[in-house]
Amino acid sequence: QVQFVESGGGLVQPGGSLRLSCAASASIKNIYAMGWYRQTPGKQRELVAAITSAGNTDYADSVKGRFTISSDHAKNTVYLQMNSLKPEDTAVYYCNRDPWALAPSEIKSWGQGTQVTVSS
């Protein structure tokens, strides 16, 4: 069972940037797709970006043009580069596998996540 550890979050000002990392405990080359999710207080977890093993990507409208998802199979790591950050991006960010196969509420195993706070 592949486990994921998120890191790279922190406190940034609006307009700033962060790069999040998702380190997998095993190879991700045979996983069809990986996704980044976020959850804000009082709201459900939402998928914000996804990438297939072939490198195809998809983004939520709210982050399109600002966030970039990428993967490094040699390092078993998925990244989320976040630019032009807005206060609305404040959330705990998680990564997980096969984002289109299950709704976030149906995924049983989640990592600790990493907190992103965008504030002046």
Side-chain angles (χ1 to χ4, degrees):
Q1 185 82 322
V2 181
Q3 295 180 314
F4 307 102
V5 178
E6 302 91 345
S7 63
L11 174 63
V12 297
Q13 296 182 6
S17 298
L18 283 174
R19 188 185 71 169
L20 306 184
S21 297
C22 170
S25 63
S27 174
I28 60 173
K29 293 190 177 89
N30 61 344
I31 297 177
Y32 176 69
M34 292 288 300
W36 279 99
Y37 304 75
R38 67 185 181 189
Q39 186 170 31
T40 56
K43 298 176 177 60
Q44 293 185 324
R45 209 180 322 244
E46 64 171 337
L47 178 67
V48 298
I51 186 169
T52 70
S53 60
N56 298 313
T57 59
D58 193 22
Y59 300 92
D61 289 342
S62 59
V63 307
K64 190 170 295 184
R66 299 187 298 118
F67 290 11
T68 303
I69 187 171
S70 62
S71 62
D72 186 336
H73 291 172
K75 296 182 178 180
N76 295 327
T77 302
V78 180
Y79 303 96
L80 185 67
Q81 178 66 46
M82 306 186 297
N83 299 325
S84 302
L85 283 163
K86 305 175 180 180
E88 307 90 81
D89 296 318
T90 296
V92 179
Y93 284 73
Y94 304 84
C95 64
N96 222 313
R97 62 177 296 166
D98 300 328
W100 299 299
L102 295 170
S105 62
E106 297 174 317
I107 299 175
K108 60 301 300 178
S109 180
W110 296 93
Q112 193 73 27
T114 185
Q115 175 72 50
V116 172
T117 302
V118 185
S119 176
S120 59

